[in-house]
């Protein structure tokens, strides 16, 4: 338990440091969130709704950008002999380094690490880490910003005591989109993140039924954010996944969020 508290404290400190770091922009926040799977998704996959706490931060400067978050899912789950049951920890770090410009368009070295771990079926501990290295760019059209990427996907999986797998797992492409705007005198922002995996390898899609192992998967979310005051942001997200998360069926959820903006 002390280790988990230390991880959360470290993430909060990192978010605060990002907020006060030098650069063209920086931000940091902590948030409380509730993910509500659709009834169809729950019936088909058995996934349950859950709450999670998040520390998030980022910065951008002439050299590029850095972004990251740390989540504790089901933070209040478990007590006594079942302490920590169903509790999961998720971390993502994204970096973009400006290499050059071609026709006024930046060419970036892109990399991200996505790490999630916790308790799986029958209390078996699971661990998954996705690592992507490739190229990206940053496109602007007025207030609209689109940041696509393409890279090689390396993955490490472990479900104890069932076994583990690691190595090359195809490719990943995707983008982040941000569009801040004002309506009725209010500060709003529309965002989307999307990832497509393709040429996935058999050893990483063993959770799917034999003969039904998809080589391509889609994953992402669309969100609308409202910042009524400088310190508070609220938002609603539509979360979706297709041929992902261990299921071939389309899965979707709504996420409700409230953030406290450190900066």
């Amino acid at each position: 338990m002390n280790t988990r508290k230390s991880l959360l404290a470290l993430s909060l400190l990192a978010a605060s440091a990002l907020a006060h770091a030098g650069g063209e922009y920086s931000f940091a926040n902590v948030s409380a969130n509730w993910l509500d799977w659709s009834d169809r998704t729950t019936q088909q996959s058995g996934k349950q709704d859950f709450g999670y706490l998040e520390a998030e931060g980022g910065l951008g400067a002439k050299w590029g950008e850095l972004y990251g978050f740390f989540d504790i899912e089901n933070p209040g789950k478990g007590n006594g002999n079942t302490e920590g049951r169903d509790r999961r920890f998720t971390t993502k770090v994204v970096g973009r380094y400006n290499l050059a410009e071609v026709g006024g368009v930046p060419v970036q070295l892109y990399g991200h690490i996505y790490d999630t771990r916790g308790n799986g079926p029958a209390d078996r501990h699971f661990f998954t880490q996705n690592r992507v290295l490739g190229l990206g760019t940053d496109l602007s059209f007025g207030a609209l910003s689109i940041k696509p990427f393409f890279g090689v996907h390396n993955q490490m999986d472990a479900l104890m005591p069932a076994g583990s797998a690691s190595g090359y797992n195809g490719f990943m492409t995707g983008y982040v989109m941000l569009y801040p705007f004002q309506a009725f005198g209010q500060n709003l922002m529309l965002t989307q993140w999307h990832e497509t995996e393709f040429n996935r390898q058999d050893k990483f899609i063993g959770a799917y039924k034999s003969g039904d192992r998809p080589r391509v998967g889609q994953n992402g979310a669309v969100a609308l954010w409202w910042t009524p005051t400088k310190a508070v942001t609220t938002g609603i997200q539509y979360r979706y996944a297709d041929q992902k998360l261990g299921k071939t069926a389309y899965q979707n959820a709504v996420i409700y969020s409230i953030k406290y903006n450190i900066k």
Side-chain angles (χ1 to χ4, degrees):
M1 188 64 178
N2 289 334
T3 300
R4 292 167 182 169
K5 288 182 178 179
S6 298
L7 284 171
L8 177 58
L10 182 60
S11 298
L12 292 172
L13 287 172
S16 180
L18 285 170
H20 295 91
E24 296 180 0
Y25 76 84
S26 60
F27 72 92
N29 62 71
V30 291
S31 63
N33 311 266
W34 180 258
L35 187 148
D36 183 5
W37 291 109
S38 67
D39 291 341
R40 177 187 51 78
T41 299
T42 298
Q43 292 170 3
Q44 292 180 342
S45 69
K47 288 182 168 62
Q48 300 297 313
D49 304 342
F50 63 91
Y52 63 96
L53 302 176
E54 181 172 275
E56 177 188 40
L59 63 88
K62 291 183 179 179
W63 56 266
E65 298 177 331
L66 184 65
Y67 167 81
F69 67 76
F70 174 73
D71 293 353
I72 301 179
E73 301 177 7
N74 288 323
K77 283 279 187 179
N79 55 65
N81 293 330
T82 60
E83 185 173 356
R85 182 187 177 102
D86 297 327
R87 198 173 297 156
R88 299 180 295 271
F89 303 88
T90 299
T91 306
K92 187 171 187 178
V93 177
V94 181
R96 293 172 177 266
Y97 182 78
N98 295 325
L99 296 172
E101 284 194 3
V102 178
V105 177
V107 177
Q108 300 172 322
L109 177 65
Y110 174 90
H112 84 231
I113 297 176
Y114 177 85
D115 181 291
T116 185
R117 59 189 67 203
N119 292 323
D123 291 334
R124 292 183 297 176
H125 180 76
F126 76 89
F127 162 79
T128 295
Q129 187 175 97
N130 296 272
R131 295 165 289 212
V132 177
L133 182 64
L135 295 175
T137 189
D138 188 344
L139 307 174
S140 296
F141 307 93
L144 176 65
S145 175
I146 302 176
K147 304 177 181 184
F149 73 89
F150 175 88
V152 178
H153 182 197
N154 183 279
Q155 186 166 332
M156 180 184 298
D157 283 352
L159 180 59
M160 305 307 294
S164 61
S166 63
Y168 167 78
N169 192 22
F171 301 90
M172 185 183 294
T173 186
Y175 61 88
V176 175
M177 183 274 290
L178 304 95
Y179 180 63
F181 64 99
Q182 284 198 334
F184 308 106
Q186 299 297 311
N187 295 317
L188 303 169
M189 184 163 63
L190 181 66
T191 66
Q192 182 185 15
W193 67 270
H194 181 86
E195 296 174 349
T196 299
E197 299 175 18
F198 53 98
N199 196 35
R200 295 191 294 195
Q201 304 298 293
D202 282 344
K203 62 184 177 181
F204 295 107
I205 50 181
Y208 298 93
K209 295 179 180 179
S210 179
D212 190 19
R213 295 180 174 179
R215 299 294 176 185
V216 178
Q218 313 288 344
N219 199 22
V222 180
L224 178 63
W225 302 99
W226 173 39
T227 304
T229 71
K230 184 178 180 180
V232 176
T233 296
T234 63
I236 183 169
Q237 305 179 58
Y238 176 76
R239 177 76 169 90
Y240 59 87
D242 190 22
Q243 314 295 319
K244 275 284 295 180
L245 309 179
K247 301 294 179 181
T248 55
Y250 182 83
Q251 301 167 72
N252 63 296
V254 175
I255 304 175
Y256 305 93
S257 302
I258 183 166
K259 301 182 179 184
Y260 172 70
N261 301 312
I262 299 171
K263 180 179 180 180

